[in-house]
Amino acid sequence: MAAKLKKGDKVVVLTGKDKGKEGEIASVNPAAGKAIVDGLNISIRHVRQSQNSQGGRIPQAMPIDLSNLALVDSKGKPTRVGFRMEDGKKVRYAKTTGETV
């Protein structure tokens, strides 16, 4: 199945503790159906000090389920993503505005 959300897309979180916040997708794991969004769903990781690193409490972005993310269209509103054929190529488009992504 084609990916509706890809790396680099600007998305908004629909549910959870970060509801309403926007960010850019850093990576997508299609097998698990999850994505990591920069600056969202932050968890504190406790790291032991080593010879190379300082250690301490390090914030880390955790994966968010793709169903809880929506693409942000050109007007800044959340939208669903559809597919259509343009000039023999399959392209993604925003359902609210009809513009290609």
Side-chain angles (χ1 to χ4, degrees), residues 54-98:
Q54 176 64 36
R57 301 175 66 210
I58 297 174
Q60 185 177 17
M62 299 303 285
I64 303 174
D65 205 86
L66 289 174
S67 64
N68 296 333
L69 299 174
L71 189 73
V72 176
D73 63 5
S74 58
K75 295 180 180 172
K77 301 238 177 181
T79 181
R80 292 181 298 163
V81 178
F83 293 98
R84 65 179 172 213
M85 298 298 286
E86 285 184 5
D87 300 327
K89 289 190 173 186
K90 188 176 183 180
V91 294
R92 299 183 302 155
Y93 74 98
K95 294 246 182 168
T96 54
T97 59

Side-chain angles (χ1 to χ4, degrees), residues 14-54:
L14 301 175
T15 59
K17 66 177 184 179
D18 290 327
K19 179 178 180 177
K21 294 183 182 177
E22 294 184 10
E24 191 172 307
I25 294 180
S27 66
V28 179
N29 183 355
K34 294 181 182 277
I36 294 177
V37 182
D38 287 332
L40 298 180
N41 199 25
I42 297 296
S43 176
I44 301 294
R45 175 128 198 247
H46 296 76
V47 180
R48 184 182 290 271
Q49 183 177 3
S50 69
Q51 234 175 354
N52 305 342
S53 63
Q54 176 64 36

